[in-house]
Amino acid sequence: MNVAVVMGGYSDESVISLRSGQLILNNLDKSKYQVFEVHILLNNWYCLINGTKYPINKADFSFTKDNQTITFDVISNTIHGTPGEDGHMQAYWELLEIPYTGCGFYQSSLTFNKRDTLSVLSKFNIPKAHSIYLSKGDTIDGKDVAQELGLPFFVKPNQSGSSLGVSKVNSLDDFDKALAFAFAEDNDILIESYLKGREVSVGVIKYKGETKVMGITEILSENDFFDYEAKYLGKSEEVTPANLSDEIKNSVEETAKKVYEALGMSGFSRTDFIIMNDIPHFIEINTNPGLSPQSIFPQQAAYSNMPMSDLLDNEISLALKRKVIWKK
């Protein structure tokens, strides 16, 4: 079976995605799969074999080597950000009838849009921060924001990952700078109330027909919040499993499962919460969580005694089942 491990992307997260792809390449069972490394970058799509780049034919997502056309039976998708975490590649692969890992194109598009995700989850009574939505060109008075949300508050791009473009506004003197920082990433932004509490990240997957929590990790950031530097440059401590009471642990696990199922998810995911007043408040969900050595999801897999090779087998199995459904 030919498996394409697809990594990269068009955003600043591509560097992290390339690291995640290496973990998948190293853990796929080579006795079961013929594995190919595929890079999807803004100016180039190619399959990398022994240092040589073979261009991907976008008409059918194949490539040619030694006058032989090679196609893929299944795609292991680990693109972070656009176009592989926002539904674009997933819709393209579905049109080509190539099964892929992770959630479907609609769920990818929905969960990459923070505003729309919060709107859907509001119907399921998931606790969350209070939010104000803003588009580029709109005007807003920082004093009105502070009156509605209080200080401090967060300013975030609506569609972005790895905490890119996110600022914590402690003083209105920082408000305009935070707006510019977020709008540099996206034309739509969220302004959210500050939730004071413990931050946890929860890995959730669909495994053998059941929604399973991999583990709960507490984030102890050296910075003001869990920003890009804290996530990827060693400025945080991540404790797995989080030291929580049984009651709070159960609440976090049940809420994480509820979010996963409410959004119609499948595949790997990582959902972030702030535990405030013993209640987990939803922050965001990542449908292609990082798998680099610094990432949380592999830590949780190790804690759950679930080899990554088994988890990847499960992902490929789910992808192939999705193709059977398309055929029906």
Side-chain angles (χ1 to χ4, degrees):
M1 184 182 296
N2 288 350
V3 178
V5 180
V6 180
M7 63 195 80
Y10 297 169
S11 74
D12 291 339
E13 294 183 85
S14 62
V15 175
I16 309 303
S17 173
L18 293 174
R19 296 180 196 168
S20 297
Q22 295 307 310
L23 181 140
I24 294 177
L25 289 169
N26 292 335
N27 284 277
L28 279 170
D29 188 341
K30 305 303 190 300
S31 68
K32 296 180 181 179
Y33 313 116
Q34 181 75 23
V35 180
F36 297 88
E37 179 175 349
V38 177
H39 291 207
I40 303 298
L41 303 174
L42 188 58
N43 298 315
N44 203 2
W45 291 21
Y46 57 87
C47 181
L48 185 65
I49 302 176
N50 297 326
T52 300
K53 299 176 181 179
Y54 297 89
I56 293 290
N57 181 350
K58 295 182 182 180
D60 60 2
F61 207 69
S62 68
F63 71 96
T64 300
K65 181 178 183 291
D66 299 330
N67 295 318
Q68 179 184 0
T69 298
I70 298 175
T71 59
F72 303 113
D73 298 298
V74 65
I75 290 160
S76 179
N77 174 31
T78 188
I79 295 174
H80 303 331
T82 190
E85 199 172 3
D86 57 5
H88 293 177
M89 294 299 295
Q90 289 89 338
Y92 161 71
W93 288 323
E94 282 200 26
L95 288 173
L96 296 175
E97 296 187 350
I98 306 174
Y100 54 87
T101 61
C103 59
F105 75 89
Y106 171 74
Q107 285 76 19
S108 297
S109 178
L110 169 66
T111 54
F112 199 69
N113 187 307
K114 296 181 178 69
R115 181 189 64 186
D116 291 354
T117 302
L118 293 171
S119 178
V120 169
L121 291 180
S122 67
K123 309 299 182 184
F124 293 87
N125 299 315
I126 304 293
K128 59 187 185 304
H130 298 295
S131 301
I132 296 171
Y133 308 131
L134 204 63
S135 297
K136 188 168 285 188
D138 292 346
T139 58
I140 193 166
D141 190 323
K143 292 180 181 178
D144 293 337
V145 174
Q147 184 173 357
E148 182 172 346
L149 301 181
L151 279 168
F153 55 79
F154 279 95
V155 178
K156 304 177 178 181
N158 185 42
Q159 299 190 75
S160 180
S162 296
S163 297
L164 295 170
V166 178
S167 300
K168 183 180 178 184
V169 176
N170 295 294
S171 164
L172 290 182
D173 293 338
D174 302 324
F175 184 51
D176 289 342
K177 181 180 177 181
L179 290 179
F181 190 45
F183 277 130
E185 294 290 333
D186 191 21
N187 289 331
D188 299 298
I189 67 172
L190 280 79
I191 307 173
E192 291 187 338
S193 60
Y194 173 62
L195 299 174
K196 184 175 177 58
R198 300 169 68 181
E199 182 168 359
V200 296
S201 193
V202 188
V204 184
I205 62 171
K206 187 74 71 176
Y207 187 74
K208 296 183 178 179
E210 295 185 7
T211 301
K212 176 179 176 59
V213 172
M214 299 289 292
I216 303 173
T217 299
E218 182 168 10
I219 309 300
L220 303 171
S221 177
E222 295 178 19
N223 295 349
D224 205 17
F225 65 96
F226 194 43
D227 59 6
Y228 184 93
E229 186 180 49
K231 286 182 177 179
Y232 300 114
L233 302 179
K235 294 292 186 177
S236 68
E237 182 183 358
E238 297 155 5
V239 180
T240 307
N243 185 19
L244 304 174
S245 69
D246 288 343
E247 183 178 359
I248 295 176
K249 176 177 178 289
N250 291 337
S251 177
V252 170
E253 288 184 347
E254 291 308 310
T255 304
K257 288 180 182 179
K258 186 176 181 181
V259 167
Y260 189 92
E261 292 171 352
L263 295 172
M265 285 293 302
S266 60
F268 294 172
S269 76
R270 201 193 71 241
T271 309
D272 300 333
F273 297 94
I274 297 291
I275 302 171
M276 187 170 70
N277 300 324
D278 293 342
I279 298 171
H281 289 64
F282 174 84
I283 302 298
E284 65 178 358
I285 184 169
N286 295 276
T287 59
N288 262 350
L291 300 176
S292 70
Q294 294 80 20
S295 298
I296 292 170
F297 191 89
Q299 297 176 31
Q300 296 175 341
Y303 164 72
S304 297
N305 294 316
M306 299 191 73
M308 190 59 65
S309 59
D310 290 350
L311 293 175
L312 294 172
D313 279 349
N314 183 69
E315 286 289 280
I316 289 173
S317 176
L318 290 173
L320 295 174
K321 287 179 182 177
R322 180 186 289 132
K323 184 174 183 178
V324 171
I325 294 172
W326 294 343
K327 293 294 186 183
K328 290 182 180 179

